[in-house]
């Protein structure tokens, strides 16, 4: 059984909202197969695509678009056709779409930011977050350089997980591990969170849902609820709002571990 099959829910789960960000379709490290299986497991009233869904930066240098990436687009279109409201919030890697902001095509909207009202009445700002990254805004050459270094880490990550899969281990993100260990990365994440929380406070929001830094987290930053979707390149994470307004952080690695434990228990009882 493949990791994607292990991550697949046994039946569709009915939820109020899904948030995913930083899919980076058009790159070799996009975990499109895992994302397609994740989406197949849910029936949602609304799904937010919180930026960097398509990687326009990478596509400028050449086309890489396998069938798995098309399958993600087809899955989102199918969900839209079946009644799910799809709100695409633009990011910096798909900034070419910002010229079409406020475009509405059926159940699909294209926006630069959105406001989400949870089932329990909290107002959340939904924004990709590149607007609060000083490097991305004011030092684009440094952002591109950092992107190249990040790609090298992802190549190592791909190689490592190939061998982990060969020996029966689940997905593990080297790049996510490094973010927790490198002081500069930890400080950058903290500064980003503080900046975006300050903006929410200024505008009267209870919280924010964002992406951009590929670091999934739910935590309180001052008076603001900070929720980051993570990504589908290294950590394979998403946010899920249930019908009572509670928001859960989904992690593929944890879902795989739970499914492995369930299968092991079934095997032992057989």
């Amino acid at each position: 059984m493949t990791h994607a099959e292990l991550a697949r829910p046994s039946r569709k789960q009915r939820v109020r909202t899904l948030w995913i960000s930083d899919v980076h379709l058009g790159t070799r490290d996009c975990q499109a197969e895992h994302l397609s299986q994740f989406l197949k497991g849910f029936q949602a009233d609304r799904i937010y695509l919180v930026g960097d869904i398509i990687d326009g930066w990478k596509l400028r240098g050449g086309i890489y678009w396998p069938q798995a990436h098309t399958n993600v687009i087809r899955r989102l279109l199918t969900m839209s056709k079946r009644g799910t409201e799809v709100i695409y919030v633009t990011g910096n890697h798909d900034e070419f779409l910002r010229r079409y902001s406020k475009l509405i095509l059926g159940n699909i909207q294209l926006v630069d930011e959105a406001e989400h009202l949870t089932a329990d009445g909290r107002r959340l700002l939904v924004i990709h977050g590149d607007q609060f990254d000083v490097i991305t805004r004011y030092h684009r050459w440094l952002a591109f350089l950092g992107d190249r270094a990040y790609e090298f880490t992802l190549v190592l990550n791909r190689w490592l997980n190939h061998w982990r899969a060969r020996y029966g281990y689940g997905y593990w993100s080297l790049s996510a591990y490094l973010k927790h260990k490198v002081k500069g990365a930890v400080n950058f994440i903290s500064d980003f969170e503080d900046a975006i929380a300050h903006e929410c406070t200024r505008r009267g929001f209870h919280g924010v849902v964002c992406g951009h830094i590929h670091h999934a987290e739910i935590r309180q930053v001052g008076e603001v609820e900070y929720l980051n979707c993570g990504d589908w390149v290294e950590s394979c994470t998403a946010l899920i709002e249930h019908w009572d307004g509670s928001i859960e952080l989904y992690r593929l690695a944890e879902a795989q571990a739970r499914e492995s434990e369930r299968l092991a228990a079934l095997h032992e009882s057989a």
Side-chain angles (χ1 to χ4, degrees):
M1 180 174 289
T2 67
H3 295 311
E5 289 170 331
L6 285 174
R8 183 185 307 161
S10 58
R11 61 179 180 224
K12 284 188 183 293
Q13 182 180 353
R14 188 88 164 79
V15 297
R16 190 168 186 264
T17 313
L18 295 174
W19 289 271
I20 62 172
S21 75
D22 297 274
V23 179
H24 293 274
L25 294 170
T27 66
R28 295 184 182 276
D29 294 292
C30 168
Q31 303 285 333
E33 297 90 347
H34 289 314
L35 178 56
S36 290
Q37 293 298 336
F38 169 78
L39 292 173
K40 284 180 182 177
F42 293 91
Q43 182 181 351
D45 278 8
R46 182 178 292 108
I47 179 167
Y48 289 92
L49 309 176
V50 192
D52 287 4
I53 305 303
I54 300 171
D55 196 318
W57 289 13
K58 181 60 68 175
L59 290 175
R60 282 201 295 264
I63 300 298
Y64 174 80
W65 196 276
Q67 183 61 43
H69 294 205
T70 298
N71 292 343
V72 170
I73 299 296
R74 291 178 64 183
R75 173 55 49 188
L76 291 168
L77 291 174
T78 297
M79 294 175 74
S80 172
K81 184 178 179 180
R82 292 176 179 173
T84 298
E85 183 182 4
V86 179
I87 302 173
Y88 193 133
V89 179
T90 56
N92 55 306
H93 280 258
D94 45 23
E95 63 187 354
F96 64 94
L97 294 173
R98 285 179 171 165
R99 71 187 69 174
Y100 307 111
S101 293
K102 300 183 181 178
L103 179 68
I104 300 176
L105 297 172
N107 268 351
I108 302 175
Q109 299 178 48
L110 187 65
V111 297
D112 291 335
E113 64 176 58
E115 178 181 332
H116 178 78
L117 188 65
T118 64
D120 55 359
R122 287 169 295 154
R123 290 178 60 237
L124 303 180
L125 172 64
V126 183
I127 191 167
H128 179 63
D130 59 290
Q131 302 90 335
F132 304 93
D133 179 349
V134 174
I135 293 175
T136 299
R137 289 188 66 186
Y138 302 112
H139 306 284
R140 287 181 63 85
W141 66 271
L142 192 57
F144 279 106
L145 183 62
D147 201 52
R148 295 296 176 267
Y150 178 61
E151 286 176 10
F152 175 72
T153 306
L154 292 178
V155 170
L156 295 179
N157 201 61
R158 192 192 316 153
W159 178 85
L160 175 64
N161 278 287
H162 168 76
W163 288 103
R164 284 177 63 86
R166 288 280 300 266
Y167 288 97
Y169 293 98
Y171 182 82
W172 182 76
S173 175
L174 170 65
S175 44
Y177 171 80
L178 292 175
K179 283 181 182 177
H180 285 283
K181 296 298 181 181
V182 178
K183 183 178 179 181
V186 172
N187 290 341
F188 170 78
I189 290 170
S190 178
D191 291 345
F192 174 85
E193 293 171 348
D194 290 342
I196 205 167
H198 176 76
E199 178 67 8
C200 286
T201 300
R202 187 184 71 81
R203 295 171 59 179
F205 286 99
H206 297 104
V208 61
V209 177
C210 60
H212 186 58
I213 59 172
H214 295 211
H215 182 73
E217 192 166 22
I218 296 178
R219 75 182 188 93
Q220 204 71 22
V221 180
E223 299 297 317
V224 173
E225 186 177 13
Y226 172 86
L227 306 105
N228 195 301
C229 309
D231 67 282
W232 288 87
V233 173
E234 50 182 297
S235 55
C236 298
T237 53
L239 296 170
I240 304 168
E241 182 191 6
H242 298 286
W243 291 99
D244 61 355
S246 62
I247 298 178
E248 168 194 357
L249 176 56
Y250 169 92
R251 297 183 186 273
L252 174 65
E254 293 175 0
Q256 287 179 340
R258 286 194 300 268
E259 185 65 11
S260 295
E261 291 173 2
R262 186 184 70 84
L263 292 173
L266 287 174
H267 180 74
E268 291 177 1
S269 62

